[in-house]
Structure formats: C-alpha cells, structure tokens
Amino acid sequence: MPESSLNRYPFYCPRFWHGMRPSAWWRLLRSGGFAISPSRVPLACSVSIATPFNTLLMGLQNLLYRRRIREAELHGPPVFIIGHWRSGTTLLHELMVRDERFSSPSTFQCFAPSHFLLTEWFFRRFAKWMLPGKRPMDNMDTGWDRPQEDEFALVNLGLPSPYRRIAFPRGGAVDMGYLDFEGVDETAREHWITTMRSFLHRVSASTTRPLVIKSPTHTGRIGHLAAAFPQARFIHITRDPRALFPSTCRLWRSLDDVQGLQAPKADTSDDGIEEYVLECLEKMYRAFHQQRQEIDQHHLIDIRYEDLIADPVGTLQTIYDSLRLADFETVREDIQTWTETEHKSYQTNAHQLSSAQEQQLRERWGEYFDEYGY
C-alpha cells in the first residue's frame, strides 16, 4: 500500500512489540526466523532495549501492588463486542464506554500489560506526544486512554495469536488455530484463558467497573469465553462484505507497514492478504455459528454496522434493552451529543471492488451474505 494512503505514524511512536518482556520477544523473533529487514533493524534494536525494562517494572509493580493484584476480580459480567475486523467494533466500543458505568482495557494497558498499574499515570500525563493523532488505517483518534483490543495485551504477554503475523508478514499466517481453538489442546487453551482472565482482573483493579471488551479475534471463541465468564454478554456486529473485505485488506497492509519487522512486499497482488482475509472470516464464522448455539438468547445480540451508523442512539438503546445492561436513559443525552458532533465529522474510507472480487466474495462468504441479509 502506498505510504500516502496511510495516516502518518512517526518513527518515534512505540510499536506493539515494545510492551513485551524478553521471553515473549525472543519467541516472536525465533518464530519468524529472525528474518528482519535491514530497514527495520533499528525498530528491532529499540524493542530489544525496552523489553528488560518491562520485566523490571513488572517486578516493581508486583512488589508495590501485591495485595491489590491478589484480590483483583471482575466487577460484574463482562460485555464482549465481537465481529469481523472493520465491521464497526471500534466505533461501538467507543460508544459503549461513554457510559461511565462501564470501563475497558485502555491502549496503554494493552501496550504495557505487565506493569500498567505502576506506570499508566505517567504515560497518560507526560507521554501523549508519543502517539499519532489518528490510527494508520482509518480516521479514528488515538490516545493512551482510548479503549483498545485486549488481543494486543495477550500478544505482549506472550500468548499465541494470529496478530503475531504482523511482525513477519512475508511468512504468512500464524496461530490460526487460536481464531477458534480448533486443534489447540486443553492445557494450552486453559493457559491462554487463565492469562487473559488475569489481565482482565488487573484492568478491573484499575477501573473498578464492569468491562466492555472488544476483539474481532474473540468471534470464533465465543463458546469458550461464555464458559470462562459465566453471565457474560456478547454484542455481535456485521457489515456488508463488499465494504468489509477491502477495508480489512487495508487494515492488514497498514499494520504490516507500520508494525512489521519486515518490509511488506511492494506488489500487493502478491502479498497474500486477500486470501488471508477470506480464510479468516471463513474460519471465525464457522466456529461462531456452531458455538453461538450454546449462548443464552438473552446474552447475545446481533446488530448491523449500517444501523449503528444511521441511528447510534436507537441501536445502543436496543443493545441495552436486549442484554439488560443498565438504564439507557442515563447515557442517552451523552450518546445524542456525540451523534450531533463527532459522528457528523467522521468519514469512513472509500473502497471499490472489481466484479471478479465481488463474485469471489459471494462464493467464499455466501453464508455470511445470506445469514445477515446482505
């Protein structure tokens, strides 16, 4: 993807991997065969320097916050926002946490999951300059305090995740079994869920409110998450695949360009992204459609991106009423104000599909088209 099509991401801005500890960083490098592009060597060096400090800060946090961490627990059932990438999960996440009765893992907490209880205040106050104004793939604002995907925290904690592909994009897909836990043995799955729960407990210790958690990767894990978090609620959002597909291709290419330890291929027709996007949705939704049968009908709601954009207030009220979350009237005015100000100024990226691409989508994603009325 040409650099001009992305929002600028300065060299001094931290990348995902800066929040890792040495063991997780070493495993990531080894899994990619240490195939770092010459132009990305400075990035790899800076991460290598940062990782020992994450371990030191974690040790200090564990010492100073030992009791708080030990007694941490969730403050009510979590709410999971799920759906394919670029289906509106981020927008819905931002809207949900406008309700001060809820909280969410923040960008800093997901960037530095090992020591945020100790250090988050400093970065929020003195290091705002380290982040760009907009995300590289779209026009959403950034900030250490903005809600973020917990999957990034799990990657930094060393758990397997498809997101590790971003580090070495030329190597192709990795950890695809962790999109649905298919083929993942019980011990590894339990370790993954236990690590995730421990992270969310630390977030709860910081926020002391119920959590709204958003990660597209959780879509195919819904049954396992429902078992691990009894009484959890799930908001599933869909979007027209003809917009979903090109937007997701742009997402991965932008992340590969900004975050990768390898320079992406110049020829996007040969980078494997389109097949990767097609395969991910197929795998995620095969598992989602099977596992959703296990979920209490009062704990899961389907909404559409198109409805959320057209009527944010009405869509949020439907979610609150259906999942019995809380009294929506308390937050109605705030959502209405957001709709009349920020929502009007936000513009989505424009995408076009060729006729061949649309035909391929209908062949590969036909069940999604039919199931959700597109």
Side-chain angles (χ1 to χ4, degrees):
M1 174 175 288
E3 186 177 348
S4 60
S5 67
L6 305 176
N7 291 324
R8 183 172 175 269
Y9 203 93
F11 73 93
Y12 56 79
C13 294
R15 271 55 176 180
F16 300 152
W17 332 112
H18 281 96
M20 286 182 161
R21 301 197 302 274
S23 58
W25 173 234
W26 174 258
R27 289 195 299 271
L28 179 67
L29 293 176
R30 187 173 58 186
S31 69
F34 298 90
I36 302 168
S37 297
S39 63
R40 307 299 171 96
V41 169
L43 169 59
C45 290
S46 69
V47 176
S48 297
I49 292 170
T51 55
F53 288 98
N54 291 323
T55 298
L56 290 172
L57 290 169
M58 182 186 71
L60 185 57
Q61 172 182 274
N62 291 344
L63 179 64
L64 296 177
Y65 294 88
R66 178 172 49 196
R67 180 176 178 180
R68 187 174 174 185
I69 293 172
R70 185 176 64 248
E71 297 177 354
E73 61 182 5
L74 295 179
H75 295 269
V79 178
F80 289 92
I81 297 174
I82 56 176
H84 195 271
W85 296 276
R86 312 305 298 150
S87 61
T89 56
T90 297
L91 175 60
L92 180 57
H93 201 197
E94 294 270 356
L95 280 171
M96 290 288 294
V97 298
R98 296 194 72 85
D99 187 338
E100 294 183 352
R101 291 169 293 186
F102 295 112
S103 62
S104 167
S106 69
T107 294
F108 185 79
Q109 290 166 352
C110 293
F111 168 75
S114 298
H115 55 77
F116 64 83
L117 288 173
L118 177 69
T119 56
E120 185 170 20
W121 70 272
F122 177 87
F123 278 78
R124 283 193 176 189
R125 180 172 298 182
F126 300 111
K128 294 179 181 179
W129 57 271
M130 295 180 70
L131 295 179
K134 303 286 184 181
R135 302 196 308 177
M137 76 292 291
D138 57 28
N139 297 309
M140 296 295 289
D141 293 336
T142 66
W144 290 122
D145 58 341
R146 301 302 285 256
Q148 187 56 265
E149 291 184 35
D150 63 306
E151 190 79 11
F152 292 121
L154 306 182
V155 170
N156 276 337
L157 290 169
L159 291 181
S161 168
Y163 283 11
R164 294 194 308 115
R165 183 208 65 85
I166 300 168
F168 296 98
R170 296 192 178 203
V174 298
D175 296 331
M176 291 293 280
Y178 282 83
L179 278 177
D180 55 6
F181 288 132
E182 183 70 29
V184 177
D185 67 71
E186 184 177 356
T187 300
R189 186 175 65 246
E190 287 303 314
H191 170 71
W192 195 97
I193 290 175
T194 298
T195 304
M196 175 189 179
R197 184 186 288 112
S198 178
F199 168 69
L200 295 180
H201 281 181
R202 293 195 298 276
V203 174
S204 285
S206 174
T207 66
T208 67
R209 287 167 287 166
L211 297 178
V212 179
I213 301 160
K214 185 274 287 196
S215 279
T217 44
H218 289 331
T219 305
R221 304 166 180 161
I222 184 172
H224 301 282
L225 294 174
F229 300 96
Q231 301 304 311
R233 299 321 197 248
F234 297 90
I235 307 170
H236 172 235
I237 184 168
T238 62
R239 186 182 185 184
D240 189 329
R242 289 160 291 196
L244 204 62
F245 177 75
S247 186
T248 307
C249 290
R250 173 189 168 96
L251 164 70
W252 292 128
R253 287 176 177 137
S254 66
L255 289 175
D256 292 350
D257 180 70
V258 168
Q259 303 285 348
L261 300 171
Q262 291 176 333
K265 292 182 179 180
D267 182 4
T268 58
S269 65
D270 188 41
D271 62 6
I273 291 295
E274 293 191 4
E275 176 58 31
Y276 178 67
V277 172
L278 291 168
E279 183 181 353
C280 281
L281 184 139
E282 290 171 331
K283 188 172 183 63
M284 290 164 59
Y285 273 88
R286 188 181 307 116
F288 175 70
H289 290 150
Q290 291 173 351
Q291 295 174 25
R292 70 173 298 163
Q293 306 305 319
E294 308 166 15
I295 311 301
D296 187 311
Q297 63 177 345
H298 298 298
H299 293 176
L300 170 65
I301 183 174
D302 296 299
I303 66 168
R304 292 162 59 105
Y305 170 82
E306 294 78 9
D307 295 334
L308 179 63
I309 289 294
D311 183 11
V313 176
T315 302
L316 263 290
Q317 180 165 12
T318 299
I319 291 171
Y320 273 63
D321 293 345
S322 177
L323 298 182
R324 305 169 185 172
L325 295 181
D327 176 20
F328 181 73
E329 294 305 316
T330 304
V331 74
R332 176 187 293 275
E333 184 176 350
D334 191 23
I335 300 299
Q336 185 67 50
T337 299
W338 178 89
T339 301
E340 295 170 355
T341 54
E342 293 185 43
H343 181 51
K344 286 187 176 181
S345 63
Y346 178 77
Q347 295 185 353
T348 58
N349 295 315
H351 302 283
Q352 288 187 336
L353 284 180
S354 67
S355 57
Q357 286 176 317
E358 183 168 347
Q359 181 180 353
Q360 184 182 42
L361 283 186
R362 291 190 176 276
E363 292 174 355
R364 297 282 296 271
W365 291 0
E367 184 178 3
Y368 187 100
F369 274 96
D370 295 339
E371 182 72 21
Y372 302 109
Y374 290 107

